[in-house]
Amino acid sequence: MGKQSIDVFGYMNYRAYLHDFYREKKATGRGFSFRVFSRLAGLGSPNYLKLVMDGDRNLTAQMAERFADACGLKGESAAFFCELVGFNQAKDTVERTERFGRLTTFRKYRAAHQLELAQAAYYSNWYLPAIRELAARKDFSDDPAWVARNLLPVITVAEATMALEKLRELGLLVTNEAGRLVQGADLVTTGDETRLIHVRSFHRTMITRALEAIDQLPKEDREISSLTLCLGSAGLKRFKERIQRFQDELLDLSALESDPEQVIQINFQLFPLSQRRNEDDV
């Protein structure tokens, strides 16, 4: 098949890889076509590759192996491609998270996606965002022991050390001219392929923290309440927009704090408790 300039380990979507593979082969390989690829993959349909690239067809595990072979992928590269197919076609978050874990076992993937892995760590540990906010305190210390005992619940010194290193790596904590560790840039977001996994993991963790707060914290230190309402589609949209505007207002208010003392977590949860009305039943 010839040497490729594109690296499969640099991709988080196998269809994007196939698009780039085909484009490169068309540009450098004389007479390469969808029909030629189908012959290499042992396929009867001459345009199967195009259907997969366009998202009109998925790949089975066996077909993924054929595609990897037709692309000239061998060994770890072929195995990674097949895992990437499973990751992209996962049916739910649980399977998607499991598949993502398999991708991270490939050394070349870890080398190509260091920021991706750092972000995964950021969202999977509730105390990383908490420590970043804790740095807004005037008495903040970058001593891991100080950080560990000032979180609620407390964490280990080893966890605090790892968290501080990760926050520095992401540029979320930086050393200022006075030599103090302070908040740096906003979190750099990665592609949608994995961002949703990390964010959902973060939400689950923070919901767990909220459950623990019900039993562990006095009422005056928390605010946990709920409403059960019946809305139409337009009302649901208005409620979501109002929540988003309220979040922006709270962010603006937090920016006015002259002497922040305690890191807090605010969760917003809006979800259905019943099915939508079937219009055929009206």
Side-chain angles (χ1 to χ4, degrees):
M1 292 293 293
K3 186 176 178 59
Q4 297 181 28
S5 63
I6 58 173
D7 181 8
V8 68
F9 290 100
Y11 289 80
M12 288 305 301
N13 187 303
Y14 80 90
R15 298 184 203 273
Y17 168 78
L18 291 175
H19 269 286
D20 290 349
F21 166 82
Y22 181 75
R23 188 181 301 112
E24 180 180 77
K25 293 301 293 183
K26 284 289 287 184
T28 61
R30 183 178 302 175
F32 191 79
S33 65
F34 291 126
R35 188 179 297 276
V36 170
F37 181 89
S38 291
R39 186 170 65 251
L40 292 170
L43 304 172
S45 172
N47 66 336
Y48 200 88
L49 171 61
K50 185 178 188 307
L51 293 173
V52 172
M53 285 166 46
D54 293 345
D56 295 324
R57 290 286 189 280
N58 283 338
L59 292 179
T60 63
Q62 181 181 24
M63 196 64 75
E65 292 178 0
R66 289 193 188 185
F67 267 59
D69 186 58
C71 289
L73 299 175
K74 305 296 181 184
E76 279 201 343
S77 296
F80 178 81
F81 177 84
C82 293
E83 289 292 354
L84 191 58
V85 170
F87 169 73
N88 293 148
Q89 296 178 177
K91 295 180 175 62
D92 53 46
T93 303
V94 174
E95 181 186 357
R96 197 167 173 80
T97 302
E98 179 185 345
R99 293 279 189 177
F100 176 71
R102 295 183 190 177
L103 294 178
T104 64
T105 64
F106 290 88
R107 178 182 56 81
K108 291 183 179 180
Y109 168 85
R110 295 196 300 273
H113 298 270
Q114 293 183 18
L115 176 60
E116 196 79 53
L117 295 173
Q119 268 217 323
Y122 179 83
Y123 282 115
S124 63
N125 294 296
W126 66 269
Y127 47 83
L128 265 76
I131 293 172
R132 181 174 183 269
E133 289 303 313
L134 192 63
R137 275 177 44 170
K138 293 179 179 179
D139 64 338
F140 177 77
S141 169
D142 60 3
D143 174 24
W146 184 94
V147 171
R149 67 174 178 266
N150 273 278
L151 290 180
L152 186 66
V154 298
I155 63 175
T156 67
V157 174
E159 288 171 331
T161 301
M162 178 278 295
L164 289 168
E165 291 176 355
K166 192 65 64 178
L167 290 168
R168 286 190 180 99
E169 177 185 337
L170 286 168
L172 297 176
L173 289 181
V174 297
T175 303
N176 66 9
E177 295 178 354
R180 292 190 69 251
L181 200 61
V182 298
Q183 291 183 353
D186 291 337
L187 184 64
V188 178
T189 58
T190 57
D192 287 340
E193 294 298 335
T194 56
R195 183 172 61 85
L196 287 178
I197 295 176
H198 307 330
V199 172
R200 286 172 178 170
S201 174
F202 177 75
H203 288 328
R204 287 191 181 93
T205 300
M206 287 309 183
I207 289 173
T208 300
R209 296 271 80 80
L211 290 172
E212 293 170 351
I214 294 175
D215 296 323
Q216 297 176 0
L217 297 177
K219 186 176 181 180
E220 56 269 21
D221 287 346
R222 58 177 170 80
E223 175 59 39
I224 298 177
S225 57
S226 63
L227 295 170
T228 306
L229 306 168
C230 189
L231 302 173
S233 297
L236 178 61
K237 182 180 179 182
R238 285 194 297 269
F239 269 57
K240 291 181 66 175
E241 290 173 348
R242 180 63 63 88
I243 290 173
Q244 290 161 3
R245 288 201 302 272
F246 184 51
Q247 286 178 294
D248 291 337
E249 291 175 13
L250 293 179
L251 285 171
D252 291 340
L253 284 173
S254 69
L256 299 176
E257 290 289 303
S258 60
D259 188 17
E261 298 178 349
Q262 188 176 37
V263 179
I264 66 168
Q265 175 70 24
I266 303 173
N267 295 336
F268 295 93
Q269 292 141 23
L270 184 157
F271 52 89
L273 295 176
S274 69
Q275 300 290 341
R276 289 182 182 273
R277 180 181 61 200
N278 189 333
E279 296 301 329
D280 294 336
D281 295 336
V282 177

